[in-house]
Amino acid sequence: MSVSKGYLLKGVRVLGGPATDLLLRDGIIAAVGRIGGATAKGAEVVVADGLVALPGLVDLHTHLREPGREDAETVESGSRAAALGGYTAVCAMANTSPVADSAGVVEQVWRLGREAGLVDVQPVGAVTVGLGGQRLAELGAMAESVAGVRMFSDDGNCVHDPRLMRRALEYVKAFDGVIAQHAEEPRLTQDAQMHEGVVSADLGLPGWPAVAEEAIIARDVLLAEHVGARLHVCHVSTAGSVEILRWAKRRGIRVTAEVTPHHLLLTDEWVRGRGELASPGLADQRIVGRAYDPVFKVNPPLRTQSDVDALREALVDGTIDAVATDHAPHALQDKECEWAYAKPGMLGLETALSIVVTTLLDALGWDGIAERMSRAPARIAGLTAAGHGQDPVKGAPANLTLVDPEARWTVDPTRLASRSRNTPYAGLELTGRVVATFLRGVPTVLDGKATR
Ligand code: DOR
Ligand code: ZN
């Protein structure tokens, strides 16, 4: 085996701090500080003046579509999109075809991730067989497989039977696993097409009321308390959900929550083509939106400005632990069709960090961004021991991303690495761009380009 020559990153600002050098060798950060030629002998020098070093980002919520819908995304194309977005690990959701509800399928996804070698693909196991909501899947077999599944979710569907949800929480408690709930009471969202409110009433579209999310979260935090197990709430989207989470956390219930970039920025007004970018960092820009553009169809739906404000506040004060993309690639024919027939979901991996930097850097700081996009998601998913979510300090695993905090770039759907094109941010100019990503000391992205 050849000895790795390593990489010497010159002039980086760790978590936005003063400029320093990092030597990456043998998969770890071998040295930090002013590093001279002798120490770094043989290492490739990366001029990184002014670039901010963050721990490699971790996405709690990625749809990779393989197996089954390789026309929309593959493990490899999604991994490349992730690396370009600054990620070193992603949790791959189970709603594939076949569903990831057995050791065989999660092992297949895990292996494909290893083969692609761009990020660590951590499969999420289904809670119920075939996402059917009727019978528990083989949680133990998935946990014991090479994929070592710790997070289980029926995402796309809600585990709506309270007895089954209780059993699932009891089951994963034994190995400190976590159930990630897609909170949607299906009886309240039948035929729903968008958020239920003023806009849905104006447009005459059947609505998805906030209470359908909030009722499930309220129920599930109580179940988690009763069982003493860990609950994670996917893509929180309403102000009411935030209040319930705040109450549950104050009470000491073991609950964590994520929010997506799109729920932190966009509202239901976009569905009728009248969206505004009320956020700091973007107020001078417009996306030319048209009414009923299915690129804005997503589940849970885009809500109101007061929900957006509450979500931003909750992310800043820590009530919401993490930003997760809910990267949901869809093939052209599933998005460029009538609103009612379009599939819900948006791309996220290649824009998430830039959206957060552009709109929330002032409120969160670089350390806050590292917490919500790397450390907290790594803890929630159980990926800390695997080397994720650790700050770039001496001796830490060399999983990190370098961001140019000043770079401005315009989102062009045709230039994304994802196989799909359904980004809601086409034409938007964002601040902050990933320049390089390292996975165990090996660059997956250099000069803003994927290395494989
Ligand atoms: O918008 C969504 N898309 N929400 C989900 O829960 C599932 C996801 C998908 O798989 O496309
Ligand atoms: Zn979901």
Side-chain angles (χ1 to χ4, degrees):
M1 219 176 88
S2 67
V3 181
S4 87
K5 58 188 166 76
Y7 288 85
L8 177 62
L9 317 182
K10 297 285 290 177
V12 299
R13 296 165 49 208
V14 175
L15 300 176
T20 187
D21 307 335
L22 299 179
L23 178 65
L24 316 185
R25 196 167 259 169
D26 300 325
I28 64 162
I29 298 175
V32 180
R34 290 265 152 204
I35 300 170
T39 316
K41 195 160 176 283
E44 187 171 326
V45 175
V46 177
V47 179
D49 288 316
L51 302 186
V52 173
L54 298 176
L57 308 184
V58 176
D59 192 21
L60 285 168
H61 196 139
T62 309
H63 296 276
L64 290 176
R65 304 297 187 220
E66 188 175 5
R69 284 308 299 265
E70 291 83 354
D71 56 328
E73 198 78 286
T74 63
V75 171
E76 186 185 335
S77 66
S79 292
R80 191 169 294 114
L84 286 163
Y87 290 88
T88 52
V90 301
C91 298
M93 278 298 169
N95 64 341
T96 48
S97 176
V99 170
D101 60 2
S102 67
V105 179
V106 294
E107 287 190 357
Q108 182 194 0
V109 172
W110 184 86
R111 283 214 174 80
L112 289 167
R114 280 282 154 154
E115 277 163 33
L118 286 152
V119 289
D120 284 345
V121 173
Q122 178 56 52
V124 175
V127 177
T128 69
V129 175
L131 308 179
Q134 300 291 323
R135 270 189 309 129
L136 274 193
E138 303 164 7
L139 309 188
M142 290 188 271
E144 282 161 25
S145 74
V146 297
V149 177
R150 288 292 173 275
M151 183 184 273
F152 297 87
S153 181
D154 272 4
D155 182 65
N157 296 350
C158 179
V159 181
H160 59 88
D161 178 341
R163 185 177 143 97
L164 211 53
M165 187 62 183
R166 174 190 178 166
R167 290 279 173 263
L169 287 164
E170 283 169 345
Y171 203 106
V172 300
K173 186 185 172 189
F175 49 87
D176 198 35
V178 60
I179 303 293
Q181 177 71 292
H182 167 116
E184 172 182 357
E185 168 50 65
R187 299 280 290 153
L188 292 173
T189 62
Q190 237 167 324
D191 304 321
Q193 289 291 333
M194 66 174 298
H195 171 65
E196 180 181 301
V198 174
V199 180
S200 68
D202 285 356
L203 296 178
L205 288 177
W208 196 133
V211 63
E213 175 172 307
E214 294 153 5
I216 294 291
I217 298 178
R219 180 199 80 177
D220 285 356
V221 295
L222 294 174
L223 282 173
E225 176 174 48
H226 182 65
V227 172
R230 277 207 296 141
L231 168 72
H232 177 71
V233 184
C234 297
H235 42 51
V236 170
S237 70
T238 80
S241 298
V242 167
E243 278 186 58
I244 295 163
L245 289 166
R246 218 170 252 140
W247 174 84
K249 286 194 164 186
R250 222 183 303 123
R251 216 170 140 89
I253 297 173
R254 301 175 74 198
V255 60
T256 55
E258 70 187 34
V259 62
T260 69
H262 46 274
H263 290 110
L264 289 167
L265 181 61
L266 305 173
T267 66
D268 59 349
E269 288 289 346
W270 287 89
V271 178
R272 63 166 147 197
R274 287 204 213 143
E276 282 175 29
L277 294 163
S279 156
L282 289 172
D284 55 335
Q285 291 190 60
R286 298 203 64 77
I287 314 181
V288 186
R290 62 180 165 90
Y292 303 101
D293 184 343
V295 82
F296 297 110
K297 185 170 177 178
V298 65
N299 188 15
L302 301 176
R303 304 285 187 184
T304 66
Q305 190 60 47
S306 55
D307 293 305
V308 168
D309 294 342
L311 294 168
R312 290 171 59 93
E313 189 188 324
L315 182 69
V316 173
D317 75 19
T319 303
I320 293 177
D321 303 80
V323 174
T325 67
D326 198 1
H327 179 81
H330 286 298
L332 227 51
Q333 68 271 22
D334 291 325
K335 272 304 203 184
E336 299 199 349
C337 57
E338 295 91 326
W339 177 274
Y341 300 115
K343 292 197 173 159
M346 303 174 167
L347 300 184
L349 288 169
E350 292 172 80
T351 48
L353 180 63
S354 297
I355 293 282
V356 171
V357 168
T358 306
T359 63
L360 281 156
L361 177 60
D362 287 348
L364 290 173
W366 290 107
D367 188 71
I369 291 176
E371 176 64 19
R372 285 153 186 83
M373 297 186 78
S374 176
R375 298 193 289 253
R379 284 195 301 273
I380 292 165
L383 291 171
T384 309
H388 295 284
Q390 298 182 36
D391 285 347
V393 295
K394 186 165 189 268
N399 297 319
L400 66 150
T401 185
L402 302 182
V403 186
D404 181 345
E406 313 288 340
R408 291 177 70 84
W409 66 288
T410 301
V411 181
D412 176 352
T414 66
R415 298 186 63 172
L416 298 174
S418 171
R419 280 208 178 167
S420 293
R421 297 284 168 259
N422 52 306
T423 174
Y425 308 118
L428 201 62
E429 194 185 39
L430 301 176
T431 304
R433 186 154 211 196
V434 171
V435 174
T437 306
F438 292 86
L439 177 64
R440 286 180 281 278
V442 176
T444 54
V445 173
L446 267 185
D447 289 330
K449 294 182 193 69
T451 56
R452 52 192 296 176

